[in-house]
Structure formats: C-alpha cells, structure tokens
Amino acid sequence: MEYTDLRSDTVTKPTPEMLEAMATAEVGDDVYMDDPTVNALQLKAAEMLGKEDSLFVPSGTMGNLLALLSHCQRGDEAIVGDCSHIYVNEAGGMSALGGIHPHPVKNQTDGTLALDDIRNAIQTEDVHHTITRLICLENTQNICGGVVLSPEYTQEVGKIARNNNLSLHIDGARIFNASAALNVDVKELVAPADSVMFCLSKGLVAPVGSMLVGSQKFIKRARHLRKMLGGGMRQVGVLAAAGLISLEKMTGRLGQDHARARILHEGLKQVRGLKLDASPASNMVYFDLLDEVKLSVNQIVDEIKKHGVLVDWAGPRRFRLVTHYWVDDVGVKKTLEAFAKVLR
Ligand SMILES: *Cc1c(COP(=O)(O)O)cnc(C)c1O
C-alpha cells in the first residue's frame, strides 16, 4: 500500500533530483576539507544564515552536542527549556559526554522561556554554584506545538546573553519553518545567536545531515570536536549534494506544508472525540483524545494504518501529525477520511 506518512518530517525520502545529484556529486576527503560539494554546502549554509562559517554534521543531535561542547567546559551550566529537544530527546548527551549541567527553565505554551526566568536562572558568582555559559532556544519549538519564536523575542534573549557574557545557541532544527511561518529572512531570526543548528533531513527532505553555523573560531573548535566524536566523514559530498538541493529548492516551499497542516487542523476539528490544539503555526498538528473515545492511541494508530495513513502518538492520549514534502492534498483528504471512519 502507498502510505501517507504523517509520523514526522524526518520520514522524507530524497527526491529523484537529489538522488541524481548524489550519484553525480564531485567528492573528496572531507577530513582533509577536500570535498568540494561539502565545501559548497557549508559556504551556502553560512551565507544563508548570515554567519561566518558552518559545518556539515551527521545529525541534529550531534550538531547541538558540538555547540554545547564548544561553548561550555565541564562543570559549566547551560540554560535549556524543560520541553526542549536538547533536554528531553538527546539522551542526556550534554551531561554524559560533556559534563555540562543543564539548568531547565519552564517552556511557556508559546515556546518561549520567560525573560525573567532566564535572568533568574543565571548563576551568581558563588563558590557553591556552577558557572552559567550558555542559553539555548528552540525554534520552531516542537513539543509546544511547532510554535515559532519571533525575531523580537530572540533579540531580547540575545541582549540578556550579551549583558551576562553568555553565548546563545539556537536549536533551529526547523528554523526554515519558523522563517516561512513568520515571513522573515532566516538571517534576521538568528542574528542574535552565536550558533545555530538546523536539519537538512526534516522538512528540507535530504536523507541525512544537519548544519552547525557560527563564527569561524566556533566552527574550528566544533570541527575538532566532531572528529573526536567520530563524526569526521570522508567522501560525504554524496550526502552534501542532497543538502545543497535542500537549501536551493526546499526552503522556499515550506509554506505549503504549513497550509496543509492548517487544512488538517480544520478538518480534524469536525471529527468526533478529538480536541485540537490552536491552529498550527508551522507543520505540526497536535490534538488530544476526549474521554468519550474508548480506543487507545495504539489502537487508533493501528486502525488508521488500515486506511493507508501512518500516524504516531505523542502521549497517552495525544497525537502529533506532521506535514512535509511527500504529503499532498490527496494525502490530507485520505487522512481526514481515515480519522472520520475510525472515530465514527
Ligand atoms: C530532530 C530534532 C533535533 C535532532 O535532530 P536529529 O537529526 O534527529 O538528531 C534537534 N532538535 C529538534 C528541535 C529536533 O526536532
């Protein structure tokens, strides 16, 4: 069966154009910095985000870890959202591998960390305390609903960072979704940040890879740490070739995914037994099952699958549906029909 797969935007397979570019990519040994396709990708990513340099990394998780390790020493502290991917979904890498102490701050429902909460989380100089080095934001914020942080808010956090001699890292796995949702150039969105990670492998459709972006000095340190972690890759231009197409062809179309997410949201509102979150800001539709629904989330996943649609639950009574390049209007319709039938 041809499935409509809404489990995540990570399921996006490469396009025929990407496969062609991968097959014909000019490559070299990237540990020698000899791979022209990787070099072109890194140049382009840095340019698009308005930073000096960038580094191709195997995953977003490694990109975030490299940022944490580059900004912080062992025993230092990083302020992170309590619903952030770094804090919740990266296997505790910052503490396990970096000896970095996370200082979780509550994520507000709009995805922000309250400015006063950030200020209060910064440690005062005291023999008892860790040393705060870093603030991490996430844009779009996944767990809060794929919500978008504004450039004004990010500026305010940047000011707090500068006034306290801290660095600011943005986990921008979906920063181009944020840029599309706000209709603001991604450069402006990340201007206050010292470093940014974004994923090529999600809404941008590439099969593998993320970019870490920042100053030349920062990227030099991150490249060294990437080698230490075993992330120094060789003829990896075969992957970077797809990433270049992500940047050239995929960043401009994300609004279509957001429009389809809003259509899904509107349609699911009409289905009995579902309580929808607010209209999606980007490509994620979150909703809960009402008590009247006797099926479990697992049973619903199984039933929906019989109608050719793959979905995943996000909690004991919660779902997240994610739109992407391979979800078209027919797929949206099929999904709405599947939910209507299963929850009839
Ligand atoms: C997916 C994701 C990451 C990590 O990316 P991987 O490539 O899956 O390791 C980091 N942050 C956020 C917000 C993500 O959604």
Side-chain angles (χ1 to χ4, degrees), residues 284-303:
M284 294 179 183
V285 185
Y286 276 93
F287 55 90
D288 292 304
L289 296 178
L290 296 176
D291 289 341
E292 70 192 52
V293 177
K294 295 305 166 209
L295 297 169
S296 71
V297 285
N298 276 313
Q299 285 170 320
I300 290 176
V301 166
D302 291 344
E303 288 304 311

Side-chain angles (χ1 to χ4, degrees), residues 59-61 64 85 90 138 142 171 173-174 197 199 202 210:
S59 70
T61 300
N64 281 334
H85 196 279
E90 298 186 4
E138 182 175 313
N142 176 359
D171 174 350
R174 299 185 179 83
M197 184 284 290
C199 293
K202 294 183 174 170
S210 295

Side-chain angles (χ1 to χ4, degrees), residues 77-143:
E77 188 161 289
I79 295 171
V80 295
D82 68 343
C83 293
S84 66
H85 196 279
I86 287 176
Y87 188 56
V88 178
N89 284 321
E90 298 186 4
M94 63 187 289
S95 34
L97 303 170
I100 301 160
H101 196 245
H103 190 134
V105 163
K106 185 178 160 44
N107 273 107
Q108 304 296 313
T109 52
D110 66 0
T112 61
L113 310 179
L115 296 176
D116 275 337
D117 287 351
I118 296 177
R119 288 185 193 103
N120 291 332
I122 299 169
Q123 300 287 12
T124 50
E125 211 176 296
D126 182 313
V127 73
H128 298 88
H129 294 164
T130 55
I131 297 169
T132 310
R133 293 280 184 214
L134 180 68
I135 303 171
C136 298
L137 295 177
E138 182 175 313
N139 197 8
T140 62
Q141 214 299 343
N142 176 359
I143 292 177

Side-chain angles (χ1 to χ4, degrees), residues 10 35 39 48 88 115 123 147 153-154 179 217 234 246 253 260 277 288 291 293 330:
T10 56
D35 188 305
N39 292 341
M48 285 176 83
V88 178
L115 296 176
Q123 300 287 12
V147 292
Y153 169 76
T154 311
S179 159
K217 191 168 158 222
R234 302 295 181 179
S246 292
R253 60 157 302 286
R260 290 199 177 96
D277 281 18
D288 292 304
D291 289 341
V293 177
V330 176

